Amino acid sequence: MSGTQKTTTAAGEKFDGFTDDERAAMKEHARELKAAARLGKAKADGERDVLAKIAEMADADRVIAERLHEIVKTAAPDLVPRTWYGMPAYAKDGKVLCFFQSAQKFKARYATLGFNDVASLDDGAMWPTAFALAELTADNEARITALVKRAAG
């Protein structure tokens, strides 16, 4: 579909492709890939980038993201922090294993902790790969720690 072409949805609304937020995330991801290729980014560079993204977040998301960053670093110290589509993420063998999506990023009701297919979370024929995070309690911090350890294998 060209940039000027529009289609109509079943509800009769005009669909213009990706939202501005989605396009911005894709552009940011392209910049991340180019920078990583040019620099052969080190773990320290990735952590600096993740902490910078966390610092940009609204207060509620930032508090969760800062604590989540510490949980991931402690639970799976071999994971490499990096940004992914402008979000804090943690990679294993160069592939993003888990990521934090702030509620603010896509104007969502809650933040999300997500796991990609490289995460070792398989449990039968169906299992969750994303979790809503409204706040971090001691119970869900323990659950996240266990999930990250399991995912990192």
Side-chain angles (χ1 to χ4, degrees):
M1 175 185 322
S2 72
T4 59
Q5 188 177 20
K6 293 184 180 180
T7 60
T8 303
T9 65
E13 301 165 351
K14 292 291 181 187
F15 176 71
D16 195 17
F18 295 105
T19 67
D20 290 342
D21 292 333
E22 290 167 333
R23 277 192 294 281
M26 288 184 288
K27 286 178 184 177
E28 194 158 15
H29 184 56
R31 283 191 299 273
E32 293 162 0
L33 291 173
K34 286 178 187 176
R38 272 194 315 267
L39 301 175
K41 283 189 135 180
K43 189 172 183 175
D45 293 336
E47 180 152 14
R48 184 190 64 231
D49 293 347
V50 164
L51 293 174
K53 282 297 172 189
I54 291 172
E56 294 173 2
M57 294 178 186
D59 291 346
D61 287 337
R62 188 178 62 252
V63 168
I64 293 172
E66 288 171 343
R67 182 65 190 126
L68 186 64
H69 180 69
E70 291 304 317
I71 291 169
V72 172
K73 282 179 39 176
T74 302
D78 291 338
L79 294 182
V80 177
R82 59 175 279 197
T83 56
W84 186 61
Y85 293 98
M87 298 177 282
Y90 305 87
K92 179 179 180 180
D93 300 326
K95 296 180 182 179
V96 171
L97 181 125
C98 63
F99 60 91
F100 175 77
Q101 179 178 307
S102 71
Q104 174 189 10
K105 184 153 186 82
F106 295 112
K107 298 169 185 71
R109 186 167 59 101
Y110 48 78
T112 305
L113 170 62
F115 293 88
N116 285 334
D117 61 337
V118 296
S120 300
L121 294 176
D122 302 35
D123 185 17
M126 187 173 106
W127 57 90
T129 59
F131 299 85
L133 295 174
E135 66 177 311
L136 288 180
T137 64
D139 286 343
N140 57 27
E141 283 187 19
R143 185 172 176 201
I144 290 167
T145 298
L147 279 168
V148 169
K149 283 181 180 180
R150 183 173 163 206

